[in-house]
Amino acid sequence: RKLRPRGMTQVLSLSERSKRFFLDVARWVPVVLAVQEYVGTVRQTEGRSMQPTMNSTRAWWRIGDLLLLDRWHARSYERGDVVELLSPCEVGAVLIKRVIGVEGDLVRPRCGDGSLVRVPRGHVWVEGDNGPLSHDSNAFGCVPAGLVQSRVAAKILPLSEAGAIECRPPPRDRVIPSRYPRAMRYGD
């Protein structure tokens, strides 16, 4: 490197400026990827299974709502929270559903003979808010809790509906909560 007198600016060629720019970007790529993977990210939704909570207004220019996902607290969900999870049926598919039951709870499926299903250890029961149009635990049963990727913290777009996602407890006639705190269930 050549020393230059004070006050003189260095003139870089286009190739050197491009190289410096790409090196600066390359330094930040791992940081951005780590934040998206472990802290939080933004995701656009599609489909009608969570209406009216999400995708309630459809216009020709809108595909879906933009959501803020909290991955840092992905395992601290409770009944009524909306979560993002990997589909237990379709490889690579991602679902947005509401947690209805956690391990130890007794859940009465939407359709059926009225019998109760116990949510096993390490599983959750998830449903869409729009029952008739939702492919959820009523179709595929309890879901391993390890498939939960993040908790939906807020809706960002449309701006008219922006804000925190409401934690809506499940209907009392369909869920009998476990009597024991999560740490004491199943003899832990």
Side-chain angles (χ1 to χ4, degrees):
R1 221 181 223 205
K2 292 182 181 179
L3 294 175
R4 61 184 181 276
R6 232 179 209 197
M8 291 188 67
T9 58
Q10 183 180 7
V11 178
L12 298 174
S13 68
L14 181 60
S15 64
E16 286 186 19
R17 283 187 291 173
S18 298
K19 180 180 174 183
R20 187 173 279 184
F21 171 78
F22 286 114
L23 286 174
D24 288 343
V25 169
R27 287 184 190 125
W28 283 99
V29 166
V31 174
V32 170
L33 292 176
V35 167
Q36 285 185 333
E37 183 66 27
Y38 300 108
V39 179
T41 189
V42 174
R43 179 173 305 277
Q44 189 170 12
T45 63
E46 54 185 61
R48 300 185 312 177
S49 71
M50 284 299 292
Q51 284 178 336
T53 305
M54 291 166 207
N55 299 332
S56 59
T57 56
R58 303 291 280 182
W60 65 271
W61 52 271
R62 263 189 71 223
I63 298 170
D65 294 345
L66 197 61
L67 305 174
L68 177 63
L69 304 178
D70 177 7
R71 294 195 171 172
W72 189 262
H73 298 101
R75 301 287 181 254
S76 63
Y77 53 81
E78 56 188 51
R79 284 176 216 94
D81 281 342
V82 178
V83 295
E84 173 199 48
L85 64 144
L86 298 176
S87 172
C89 301
E90 190 178 334
V91 177
V94 177
L95 307 174
I96 304 283
K97 303 292 178 192
R98 191 175 298 277
V99 175
I100 300 299
V102 296
E103 60 184 51
D105 290 353
L106 292 171
V107 179
R108 181 172 285 112
R110 280 188 177 137
C111 303
D113 59 4
S115 61
L116 295 170
V117 175
R118 180 172 299 277
V119 179
R121 182 179 190 173
H123 286 71
V124 293
W125 185 275
V126 294
E127 293 182 356
D129 289 353
N130 190 353
L133 297 176
S134 180
H135 185 68
D136 52 30
S137 287
N138 290 288
F140 47 71
C142 298
V143 177
L147 294 180
V148 175
Q149 300 296 299
S150 57
R151 202 166 43 107
V152 178
K155 188 188 299 189
I156 300 171
L157 290 176
L159 290 176
S160 61
E161 299 174 16
I165 297 292
E166 175 188 4
C167 178
R168 195 175 325 143
R172 290 184 183 196
D173 62 332
R174 294 198 42 237
V175 178
I176 301 172
S178 173
R179 296 181 308 168
Y180 305 105
R182 187 176 276 194
M184 295 182 62
R185 293 180 194 159
Y186 301 102
D188 286 344

